[in-house]
Amino acid sequence: MNIASIEAGASDARLREIYDTAAKLFHSQGYARTSMSDVARALHLTKAGLYHHIESKEQLLFGVINYGLDLLEEQVVRSVMTMREPADRLRCLIRGHIQLILQSRFREITVILHENRTLKGALRAQVDARKKRYILLLEEILTDLRRRRPHAGVSPHVGAFALLGMINWIYQWYRPSGAVSQEELAEEFTRLFLNGYCGAAPESGVPLSHRRERR
Amino acid sequence: MNIASIEAGASDARLREIYDTAAKLFHSQGYARTSMSDVARALHLTKAGLYHHIESKEQLLFGVINYGLDLLEEQVVRSVMTMREPADRLRCLIRGHIQLILQSRFREITVILHENRTLKGALRAQVDARKKRYILLLEEILTDLRRRRPHAGVSPHVGAFALLGMINWIYQWYRPSGAVSQEELAEEFTRLFLNGYCGAAPESGVPLSHRRERR
């Protein structure tokens, strides 16, 4: 490892520390109410020291969101990409995404991902494009799944956002210390979604097993 | 109708107008950045005139949230309560809840419902108790459903929050002018959830239809 890459590594670690701290502040007191001075103070930096790393508060928010999307790529997308069978890919995505948002260190970052109304113009467009790639990956998996299995007539588009809603809502209600383990949560979400998306819909009010028997 | 009730009606209408306006401002510029003067100005009231109706900004937020929960009760819970069959109740709840959050007038109010970290103490506890009643109703429906139909082994608790996540996330992605009609959205969400919650889970990677045939 040469000096340039050691310095790059140190600088990356420093940036991640800045993003972690900023995310906690943005989350606890709101983006609007958090000043660059607050962030500098929490990091034991001077304001000039913080501006040495980050040029504006908007760039800081942009950095935090991109850091969150980096984590999503490293911890979820990368593993999904090694798999071919769509049901395996979907299980891996659900499990990995839930794991990511329940890691206490990243909790605030994953929440801030969805509060990006504050970003404008080119920065907003860049973030939206990265988010869209994830949604397209999920839609691709759901399209493949429809080709290989019976399906309930739910479109990949609606299915993708239904699943993201289930997962991204977790931070509103789930307590890791409560009655449902993270493992059970991932298991039940996978079962609910995979079962709902694949297979015939029990729409008639007659139990599914009866309907099947009559065929 | 006597004079007292005419006055009460006028005052209710005035309050709803105040809540509507406050919700739009809280949503567009954030609760922290919105002052009582901003709200008064948007309503063409003096600040004193606004304080005649509402005693503080926190009370105003509390009022907006309760107004949102009133709407949920009037437009969703009331119809669900007239039904007995759990699958019918669930369909009615999903359809009504989606309808409510997609009514453009109430859009901001239903978003603010979930941003209640700003409320503290007794006000927060009151709001949480009202929200909890809705969740308990949904869990009750899901518990009844498990008794009457085959089920996929998803608990009523996890199922309830998965469904609320699907629905409450809609405002993040759904555009009424897009390719999916509101009717289709409600239909696909109902099918996805009901199908996922009821019936055996295709966990093995073998298509559901094959597994059924082998039994």
Side-chain angles (χ1 to χ4, degrees):
Chain A
M1 198 184 252
N2 62 26
I3 289 174
S5 68
I6 290 171
E7 278 178 353
S11 164
D12 272 7
R14 191 62 174 147
L15 277 174
R16 293 198 161 200
E17 195 190 341
I18 292 171
Y19 297 146
D20 272 333
T21 304
K24 286 187 176 64
L25 288 172
F26 291 164
H27 182 62
S28 63
Q29 61 193 46
Y31 175 73
R33 281 211 257 201
T34 305
S35 67
M36 287 293 268
S37 305
D38 294 339
V39 179
R41 200 175 311 118
L43 286 156
H44 307 290
L45 281 176
T46 61
K47 211 167 151 183
L50 178 59
Y51 275 109
H52 171 73
H53 295 283
I54 312 275
E55 69 188 53
S56 67
K57 195 171 104 171
E58 202 184 15
Q59 282 288 345
L60 181 55
L61 177 61
F62 180 65
V64 168
I65 293 173
N66 272 303
Y67 176 31
L69 292 167
D70 289 345
L71 292 170
L72 191 68
E73 254 167 49
E74 288 163 20
Q75 299 193 19
V76 185
V77 175
R78 207 169 283 173
S79 316
V80 171
M81 287 308 199
T82 64
M83 298 174 178
R84 294 191 54 188
E85 164 64 32
D88 292 339
R89 299 181 92 191
L90 185 65
R91 283 190 198 97
C92 175
L93 184 143
I94 295 174
R95 184 166 306 272
H97 198 150
I98 290 179
Q99 224 160 46
L100 176 65
I101 64 171
L102 290 179
Q103 278 168 53
S104 53
R105 314 192 30 212
F106 304 133
R107 187 177 163 86
E108 289 87 356
I109 290 172
T110 54
V111 171
I112 283 163
L113 273 188
H114 313 298
E115 294 174 352
N116 72 334
R117 274 180 297 149
T118 328
L119 279 182
K120 309 256 180 269
L123 298 186
R124 170 72 178 265
Q126 277 184 60
V127 163
D128 286 350
R130 280 193 82 179
K131 287 184 176 176
K132 188 154 191 188
R133 282 209 294 278
Y134 187 65
I135 293 159
L136 289 177
L137 168 66
L138 183 49
E139 287 185 5
E140 179 195 304
I141 295 171
L142 296 182
T143 303
D144 285 352
L145 207 54
R146 273 173 75 123
R147 289 201 193 102
R148 301 195 186 198
R149 291 199 181 203
H151 67 82
V154 174
S155 75
H157 183 66
V158 170
F161 283 106
L163 181 60
L164 289 176
M166 285 166 60
I167 295 174
N168 287 326
W169 201 250
I170 289 175
Y171 78 91
Q172 288 268 9
W173 63 276
Y174 181 75
R175 297 291 162 266
S177 55
V180 182
S181 72
Q182 186 179 316
E183 194 54 38
E184 285 164 339
L185 181 67
E187 175 62 35
E188 293 193 26
F189 268 28
T190 304
R191 211 181 294 150
L192 179 66
F193 185 83
L194 205 54
N195 200 33
Y197 187 78
C198 304
E203 271 303 285
S204 63
V206 178
L208 189 65
S209 54
H210 295 191
R211 293 203 309 149
R212 299 252 168 197
E213 280 161 23
R214 279 203 306 251
R215 274 181 194 166
Chain B
M1 197 184 256
N2 62 26
I3 289 175
S5 67
I6 290 172
E7 279 179 354
S11 163
D12 272 6
R14 191 61 174 145
L15 276 176
R16 292 200 160 199
E17 195 191 342
I18 293 172
Y19 297 146
D20 271 333
T21 304
K24 284 186 177 63
L25 289 171
F26 291 165
H27 183 61
S28 64
Q29 61 194 45
Y31 175 74
R33 281 209 258 203
T34 304
S35 68
M36 288 293 268
S37 304
D38 295 338
V39 179
R41 200 175 311 119
L43 286 157
H44 307 290
L45 281 175
T46 61
K47 212 167 150 182
L50 177 59
Y51 276 109
H52 171 73
H53 295 281
I54 312 275
E55 69 188 53
S56 68
K57 196 172 102 172
E58 202 184 15
Q59 281 287 347
L60 181 55
L61 177 61
F62 180 66
V64 168
I65 293 173
N66 272 303
Y67 176 33
L69 292 167
D70 288 346
L71 292 170
L72 190 69
E73 253 167 51
E74 288 163 20
Q75 300 193 20
V76 185
V77 175
R78 208 168 280 174
S79 316
V80 171
M81 287 308 200
T82 65
M83 298 175 178
R84 293 190 55 187
E85 163 64 32
D88 292 339
R89 301 181 90 192
L90 185 66
R91 281 191 200 96
C92 175
L93 184 144
I94 295 174
R95 183 166 307 272
H97 198 150
I98 290 179
Q99 224 161 46
L100 175 65
I101 65 171
L102 290 180
Q103 277 169 53
S104 53
R105 312 192 32 213
F106 304 133
R107 187 177 163 84
E108 289 86 356
I109 289 171
T110 53
V111 171
I112 283 162
L113 273 187
H114 312 298
E115 294 175 352
N116 72 332
R117 274 179 298 149
T118 327
L119 280 182
K120 308 256 181 270
L123 298 186
R124 171 72 178 265
Q126 278 183 60
V127 164
D128 285 349
R130 278 193 83 179
K131 287 185 178 178
K132 188 155 190 184
R133 281 207 294 277
Y134 187 64
I135 293 160
L136 288 177
L137 168 66
L138 182 49
E139 287 185 5
E140 179 194 305
I141 294 171
L142 296 182
T143 303
D144 285 353
L145 206 54
R146 273 173 74 124
R147 289 201 193 101
R148 301 194 186 200
R149 291 199 180 204
H151 67 83
V154 174
S155 74
H157 183 66
V158 169
F161 282 105
L163 180 61
L164 290 176
M166 286 166 60
I167 295 173
N168 288 325
W169 201 248
I170 288 174
Y171 78 90
Q172 288 270 7
W173 64 274
Y174 181 75
R175 298 291 162 266
S177 56
V180 182
S181 72
Q182 186 178 316
E183 195 53 39
E184 285 164 339
L185 182 67
E187 176 60 36
E188 293 194 26
F189 268 29
T190 303
R191 212 180 296 150
L192 180 66
F193 186 82
L194 206 53
N195 200 33
Y197 187 78
C198 304
E203 271 302 286
S204 62
V206 178
L208 191 66
S209 54
H210 294 190
R211 295 203 309 151
R212 298 253 169 199
E213 279 161 25
R214 279 203 307 251
R215 275 182 195 169

